[in-house]
Amino acid sequence: MAGLPCRLLLLCLAAAATSADLVLEEVRRSLDLSTHLAKISAELSLANAPGGAAASTFLLALEPGLEPRLAHLGVQVKGEEEEENTLEVKETKVKGKSGKFFSVKLPSPLAPGAKVRVSVEMVFTHVLQPYPTHITQSEKQFVVFEGNHYFYSPYVTKSQTTRVKLASRNVESYTKLGNPSRTEDTIEYGPFKDIPPYSQDTLKVHYENNSPFLTITSMTRVIEVSHWGNIAVEETVDLKHTGAVLKGPFSRYDYQRQPDSGISSVKSFKTILPAAAQDVYYRDEIGNISTSHLLVLDDSVEMEIRPRFPLFGGWKTHYIIGYNLPSYEYLYNLGDQYALKMRFVDHVFDEQVTDSLTVKIVLPEGAKNIHVDSPYEINRASDELHYTYLDTFGRPVIVAHKSNLVEQHIQDIVVHYTFNKILMLQEPLLVVGAFYILFFTVIVYVRLDFSITKDPAAEARMKVACITEQVLTLVNKRLGLYRHFDEAVNKYKQSRDISTLNSGKKSLEMEHKALTSEIASLQSKLKTEGSDLCDKVSEIQKLDGQVKELVLKSSVEAERLVAGKLKKDTYIENEKMHSNKRQDLVSKIDNILDAL
């Protein structure tokens, strides 16, 4: 144990020596301020002084004014064949210094006297401040950026140049340290020589920037996984224009008539969906938004999102977008081991900024041993349970949060879990069981008699009602026979074919006799049951006999008309008289049927 303090002391001395021996021989820094983000990239030539110890790591420091706005930091090293390797970056602390520091691990220790070329990329959000903060619809938007003329570093920098890329050539003012040169929308500073560590000098640029200052203030991304072949994705987005706030009224007429009216506003933007996305919907609280357009490409699906109104500074909108994906493209398994590989955040619009993101991944019911691999640090909340159709004990939901995201965070997250495939039979068995119970209950209910005592009067009434229903059917069918015979008589008058008439008459007699016999049988049953409806059925029989007699008389007169034994005028007069009598008899029969 006595050797442990000695070893720690040696490590500290080695780290101190390494930090003191490293030198930035050349720094070429570039500030891209052409959008609403501040993208700072730097090409570093890092050298280890001769005679010192080999360095396996080096430090990166953030400018105190920009460190709260850092969204992304990436470091790469260029090899001999110009290939770029991403280096491991970890936040660390430096004794006696405040602010954020990062320790970057080199691919191999840097020997004394050796050099390495390193590329650093940083993205900052909400550092471009609108000035003035309020503008009218016809005014252009100007912003102010404040940074550092020097590359903020714990090491001595022998030579440095800085190139600032702006959104336009319209520049109100900028600092002029070292007599910078300006061409169109670019300002170049330097070279600066022999810059001490932690050097600061305020760089300030005030310029026109009408880029879309869109910010996703809040976003909830729900990924619901089904082992039946589908992955449902839904994103709820709260969007805000964080540029200069609109001052005064908004004129739709001027906005459509003048091309430069509301030049800094946002009419629409493009969202990139996965190539396999289908069943896409875009809606808000009011309902479906029909102003969107969908374009299917080979490697993606482009969706033009057009809000219900243009977004000016300070204006907000809220919408929901969702789609389905085939699970075979994102879900992998080996036996009971499953791995879901999907993006933690997807492309919403170009140069996107997300202040707050919540991702919920709903796994199938029965998923266990859940493990998440993320390409960057995320905040895991407590897992939840989600209940949908046919769920019994709930589906596990992974909940993760992250703030201040940009396009560089569009990377895959991998969720590992185990799932017993037997559980896939759970939902079909639940459906089968539910229908089985339903049918069994209906069968039991129908077949069992739940009455306490039998009611002979009720049974008699049911029998009479059944017999009456049969009588009604037979009487209506018998009346239909007369209509069919009338059609046969009309055909006979046209064709003068006596066989047609004889055939119709024979058919009428046979069927009428059968139906009358059945009605008489039912009449006897009613009499047996002691129902007074028997008399009404008897009356129907008598009236029907009179109807039949009139029908046959009409057919006889039709024969005489065709044979020339009866004048046409007389036939028409007699037919009219028979028709009236027949109609009165049928009306009486209908009244009795209604009473039944």
Side-chain angles (χ1 to χ4, degrees):
M1 294 296 294
L4 182 59
C6 296
R7 287 197 295 271
L8 291 175
L9 179 61
L10 290 174
L11 287 173
C12 292
L13 291 174
T18 302
S19 176
D21 293 340
L22 293 178
V23 176
L24 295 176
E25 289 197 343
E26 183 184 11
V27 176
R28 290 184 292 177
R29 189 172 63 142
S30 176
L31 277 68
D32 186 355
L33 308 178
S34 59
T35 63
H36 66 133
L37 299 173
K39 302 176 185 178
I40 301 177
S41 59
E43 297 288 338
L44 311 180
S45 178
L46 186 66
N48 193 0
S56 58
T57 62
F58 70 95
L59 289 177
L60 281 178
L62 287 186
E63 299 172 25
L66 297 179
E67 62 182 43
R69 302 297 185 182
L70 178 68
H72 168 72
L73 171 62
V75 184
Q76 295 178 326
V77 62
K78 292 187 176 180
E80 296 178 356
E81 299 180 358
E82 295 297 323
E83 76 277 5
E84 294 186 347
N85 297 318
T86 302
L87 302 182
E88 181 183 349
V89 180
K90 291 184 179 179
E91 188 172 353
T92 186
K93 293 186 179 296
V94 175
K95 188 176 180 180
K97 293 290 182 180
S98 61
K100 276 192 176 182
F101 292 86
F102 296 90
S103 174
V104 183
K105 185 177 180 180
L106 293 170
S108 59
L110 187 63
K115 300 179 182 179
V116 65
R117 293 163 57 196
V118 178
S119 176
V120 179
E121 179 187 22
M122 292 178 283
V123 180
F124 297 91
T125 60
H126 304 300
V127 294
L128 301 182
Q129 300 301 320
Y131 188 79
T133 57
H134 294 70
I135 59 174
T136 62
Q137 182 177 334
S138 60
E139 291 180 322
K140 297 178 180 179
Q141 178 175 265
F142 285 81
V143 299
V144 172
F145 171 78
E146 290 190 8
N148 190 359
H149 283 105
Y150 305 117
F151 179 72
Y152 192 72
S153 172
Y155 309 117
V156 173
T157 304
K158 291 186 176 181
S159 176
Q160 179 210 317
T161 59
T162 299
R163 184 174 181 270
V164 182
K165 178 73 168 61
L166 305 177
S168 69
R169 66 179 69 181
N170 189 4
V171 181
E172 289 288 307
S173 63
Y174 61 95
T175 52
K176 298 179 173 59
L177 179 68
N179 193 22
S181 62
R182 178 189 164 196
T183 58
E184 297 292 333
D185 57 353
T186 303
I187 304 173
E188 294 188 2
Y189 291 89
F192 302 117
K193 302 291 185 181
D194 298 325
I195 305 169
Y198 305 109
S199 294
Q200 287 184 275
D201 189 87
T202 302
L203 182 152
K204 187 174 182 180
V205 185
H206 185 200
Y207 65 101
E208 179 185 342
N209 187 345
N210 294 307
S211 302
F213 272 54
L214 277 182
T215 300
I216 302 171
T217 56
S218 176
M219 177 177 173
T220 301
R221 177 174 165 89
V222 180
I223 302 171
E224 188 168 349
V225 182
S226 170
H227 281 189
W228 293 100
N230 187 69
I231 298 176
V233 181
E234 184 175 270
E235 297 175 348
T236 304
V237 181
D238 290 312
L239 205 60
K240 182 180 180 181
H241 191 302
T242 52
V245 177
L246 178 65
K247 178 176 62 177
F250 165 66
S251 171
R252 173 73 69 174
Y253 174 73
D254 292 339
Y255 189 75
Q256 294 179 342
R257 185 173 61 91
Q258 300 175 2
D260 58 345
S261 178
I263 192 171
S264 62
S265 66
V266 178
K267 295 181 181 178
S268 64
F269 52 89
K270 282 186 179 180
T271 292
I272 307 299
L273 306 180
Q278 55 189 355
D279 305 326
V280 182
Y281 58 89
Y282 167 46
R283 57 183 173 82
D284 56 12
E285 287 88 348
I286 299 175
N288 184 57
I289 304 175
S290 59
T291 53
S292 59
H293 300 284
L294 203 66
L295 178 62
V296 179
L297 303 176
D298 293 336
D299 58 346
S300 64
V301 175
E302 283 189 3
M303 186 174 187
E304 182 187 8
I305 301 292
R306 185 179 291 271
R308 296 184 184 273
F309 48 84
L311 294 178
F312 285 84
W315 289 18
K316 304 176 183 179
T317 188
H318 171 88
Y319 68 88
I320 298 172
I321 185 172
Y323 51 90
N324 291 321
L325 296 170
S327 60
Y328 67 85
E329 292 193 8
Y330 302 91
L331 188 62
Y332 309 91
N333 79 296
L334 180 62
D336 290 345
Q337 303 290 326
Y338 286 82
L340 175 69
K341 186 177 182 181
M342 288 194 69
R343 289 178 174 177
F344 186 74
V345 62
D346 217 332
H347 181 280
V348 181
F349 51 83
D350 293 339
E351 309 295 345
Q352 69 187 45
V353 176
T354 306
D355 287 345
S356 176
L357 172 67
T358 299
V359 176
K360 295 184 177 182
I361 303 176
V362 184
L363 299 177
E365 190 175 34
K368 298 179 180 179
N369 303 322
I370 302 170
H371 173 68
V372 179
D373 290 333
S374 175
Y376 39 78
E377 184 180 354
I378 60 175
N379 299 321
R380 281 281 304 274
S382 300
D383 291 352
E384 301 175 353
L385 287 177
H386 177 70
Y387 293 90
T388 57
Y389 305 106
L390 303 176
D391 288 340
T392 53
F393 48 87
R395 304 185 182 189
V397 181
I398 301 171
V399 183
H401 305 280
K402 189 168 178 62
S403 58
N404 203 17
L405 295 94
V406 290
E407 283 188 351
Q408 284 76 5
H409 291 99
I410 301 178
Q411 299 182 43
D412 290 330
I413 184 174
V414 182
V415 180
H416 302 273
Y417 63 93
T418 58
F419 179 81
N420 191 344
K421 294 181 179 179
I422 297 296
L423 293 175
M424 291 188 68
L425 298 175
Q426 175 181 323
E427 293 182 359
L429 290 176
L430 283 174
V431 174
V432 172
F435 277 108
Y436 178 82
I437 294 172
L438 175 63
F439 294 152
F440 182 77
T441 304
V442 172
I443 291 171
V444 171
Y445 179 78
V446 170
R447 292 185 177 274
L448 293 182
D449 185 5
F450 295 98
S451 60
I452 299 175
T453 60
K454 291 186 177 181
D455 187 357
E459 291 184 1
R461 286 195 297 271
M462 290 179 63
K463 288 182 180 179
V464 170
C466 182
I467 295 171
T468 305
E469 187 69 26
Q470 295 179 41
V471 171
L472 292 175
T473 302
L474 293 174
V475 170
N476 287 323
K477 189 174 181 181
R478 190 168 59 183
L479 291 174
L481 293 178
Y482 301 138
R483 289 192 293 272
H484 289 301
F485 185 67
D486 289 340
E487 293 176 0
V489 172
N490 291 332
K491 289 181 180 179
Y492 165 68
K493 288 190 292 184
Q494 294 176 359
S495 63
R496 299 176 179 270
D497 185 3
I498 192 64
S499 62
T500 302
L501 181 63
N502 292 335
S503 175
K505 189 181 297 185
K506 184 178 180 181
S507 176
L508 173 65
E509 292 289 350
M510 290 178 60
E511 295 185 21
H512 184 275
K513 183 178 180 181
L515 293 173
T516 302
S517 176
E518 289 184 34
I519 294 173
S521 174
L522 294 173
Q523 183 182 355
S524 300
K525 291 182 180 180
L526 288 173
K527 189 174 181 180
T528 303
E529 295 295 333
S531 174
D532 57 354
L533 296 178
C534 176
D535 298 335
K536 293 186 178 181
V537 174
S538 177
E539 187 178 353
I540 290 175
Q541 294 284 65
K542 293 178 182 178
L543 293 173
D544 180 76
Q546 298 176 28
V547 173
K548 181 182 177 184
E549 183 180 351
L550 289 173
V551 170
L552 293 176
K553 281 184 179 180
S554 296
S555 67
V556 170
E557 292 191 353
E559 287 186 65
R560 294 179 62 196
L561 175 67
V562 172
K565 296 179 181 180
L566 184 66
K567 293 183 179 181
K568 186 175 182 181
D569 295 339
T570 306
Y571 171 77
I572 293 174
E573 185 178 349
N574 293 339
E575 181 66 21
K576 185 176 181 181
M577 181 182 62
H578 294 157
S579 177
N580 291 336
K581 290 182 179 180
R582 177 178 164 184
Q583 188 174 358
D584 291 339
L585 293 171
V586 171
S587 297
K588 291 179 181 179
I589 293 174
D590 289 339
N591 292 333
I592 296 173
L593 292 176
D594 291 339
L596 291 177

